Structures are given as C-alpha cells and as structure tokens.
Amino acid sequence: SDGPKGPLALPGDYQVKLTVAGKTQTAPLHLAIDPRTKGQEGPLQKQFTLSMQVNDRISQLHQAVNEIREIRAQIKTLHFRFGQDEKLKPALTAADDLDKKMTETERQLVQVDMKGSEGNLAFPSMLNERFDSFSHFIDAGDTEPTKPQLEVFQLLSTKLDEQLKKWEQIKKDDLPKVSALIKQVDLPALIITEKKKGE
C-alpha cells in the first residue's frame, strides 16, 4: 500500500539538501541512536547492510520488469500501426513469440493477474512482494539479522538470479533476432532504453 522504501539510515551526521526553483539549501542533520540500543552499532550496521542488499535486489527486479514492459509496449505499437499488413505478419508473429517468452519471466517476478487491492487474497505473491515483505521484517527491530533471515535472503536471491538470467538470455539471443526480422521489413527495431546514471 505504501510502495517500496529504502532502509533506515544509520545513526550519524548527514546533510539534508533541498533544491526548489533553482535554489539549493542545505542543513546539517544528526541521527542519534536510541539510548536503549546503545552499544548495538555493530548489529545495526549488519542490519543496514542486509537492507541495502535487499534494496539492490528489488531495484534489479524492477529494472527487468520495466525493460520487459518497454519491449511489450513497442510490440503493441507495431501491431496497432502495422497489424493489417500481410507482408509484416512473420515479423509480428516473431515479436508475439518474444512477448510470450518475456511474459513467462515477468510472471515469476511480479503478480500480473492482481488488479485490485484485495487481489493478493486470490493470487500467490511473487518475488517482488516477497522481497518487499522481507524488507519490512528486517527493519522491524534494531538487531543483527538472524540466520533464518539470511537464509531467506539467499533463497529469494537465488530465485531472482534464475529469472534475471533467463531475461538476460532473452535480451542476448531472442531480442536481436526479432529486431533483425523487424528491421528487414523497414520497421523500427525493438530497443531497451539505457538506464541513466543515478536512476
């Protein structure tokens, strides 16, 4: 309901920077440790490290889903503009086959059938929901991650790596072949927009 979030910042000195209408202001910020957890800096650092790893994995998952959906939108546009042209049918059929292959991977990454707020009652949670739920468990206290938590992270990471590997293979093998077919009939090739630094 509240969307993805980053890990809680560690105690320390920071700077807050705000830019509005071309003007920037900065102010110091000191985050103090809860007095009840004094001496727990080591466990907090380990918790923060795991939270950052989970955050990175969620970002990788979302990047793959965004790329899949970007390609799908391009395929949909090709169908809308050129779907009635018989000589383009083979290229569009190849694009549809690519879409089916991408969908298999996307369905493991996110729950695509859930359309409403109560859809999670009818459909199983997929990797993005599992990572998100896991991130809330990690940040629930000021303690070092437990062995079972580290094992769950490893399990989720392994499953994500399997799907990311499939997506990389599709990008390396299938996408160029379909793009070449499309270019042969003078249609714009399917491309994935390069992610800008800092995004």
Side-chain angles (χ1 to χ4, degrees):
S1 60
D2 57 359
K5 61 175 186 57
L8 297 172
L10 289 170
D13 292 308
Y14 297 88
Q15 233 184 19
V16 178
K17 183 177 179 181
L18 178 67
T19 303
V20 178
K23 292 183 180 179
T24 301
Q25 291 186 0
T26 59
L29 174 69
H30 177 74
L31 293 181
I33 193 165
D34 186 326
R36 295 170 295 180
T37 56
K38 201 78 173 153
Q40 293 294 310
E41 290 84 358
L44 278 177
Q45 178 62 55
K46 289 179 181 176
Q47 180 190 51
F48 180 78
T49 299
L50 181 59
S51 291
M52 286 300 291
Q53 290 172 331
V54 171
N55 198 52
D56 289 344
R57 301 300 347 233
I58 291 173
S59 292
Q60 291 168 347
L61 186 153
H62 288 173
Q63 179 66 28
V65 171
N66 288 342
E67 289 174 355
I68 289 168
R69 291 181 177 177
E70 183 180 15
I71 295 296
R72 180 171 297 122
Q74 291 172 49
I75 292 170
K76 189 175 180 181
T77 300
L78 289 175
H79 270 289
F80 179 75
R81 293 178 64 201
F82 308 106
Q84 303 306 315
D85 192 332
E86 282 300 317
K87 68 179 187 224
L88 304 180
K89 285 269 192 232
L92 292 176
T93 299
D96 289 340
D97 291 340
L98 171 64
D99 192 356
K100 285 177 190 158
K101 208 167 188 180
M102 293 188 311
T103 298
E104 291 173 22
T105 299
E106 181 188 24
R107 284 182 167 277
Q108 297 302 312
L109 297 173
V110 294
Q111 179 50 261
V112 296
D113 297 317
M114 194 163 54
K115 304 298 181 208
S117 61
E118 294 182 6
N120 58 345
L121 300 173
F123 301 103
S125 63
M126 304 316 282
L127 279 171
N128 71 319
E129 293 98 351
R130 292 175 188 170
F131 267 113
D132 185 57
S133 296
F134 180 66
S135 73
H136 293 288
F137 286 122
I138 300 167
D139 293 335
D142 295 327
T143 58
E144 185 174 335
T146 64
K147 186 172 182 266
Q149 284 177 328
L150 295 172
E151 288 169 355
V152 168
F153 174 69
Q154 192 56 54
L155 176 72
L156 291 174
S157 284
T158 300
K159 288 182 183 238
L160 177 58
D161 285 336
E162 287 169 9
Q163 298 310 314
L164 293 180
K165 188 176 178 184
K166 286 179 186 176
W167 174 231
E168 287 302 319
Q169 199 67 43
I170 290 169
K171 287 198 298 186
K172 184 178 161 220
D173 296 337
D174 301 276
L175 185 58
K177 288 175 189 171
V178 174
S179 287
L181 268 176
I182 290 171
K183 281 166 69 175
Q184 283 174 8
V185 289
D186 295 324
L187 293 179
L190 301 173
I191 57 164
I192 295 173
T193 308
E194 285 296 318
K195 189 179 172 197
K196 291 177 188 166
K197 258 191 163 178
E199 285 186 340

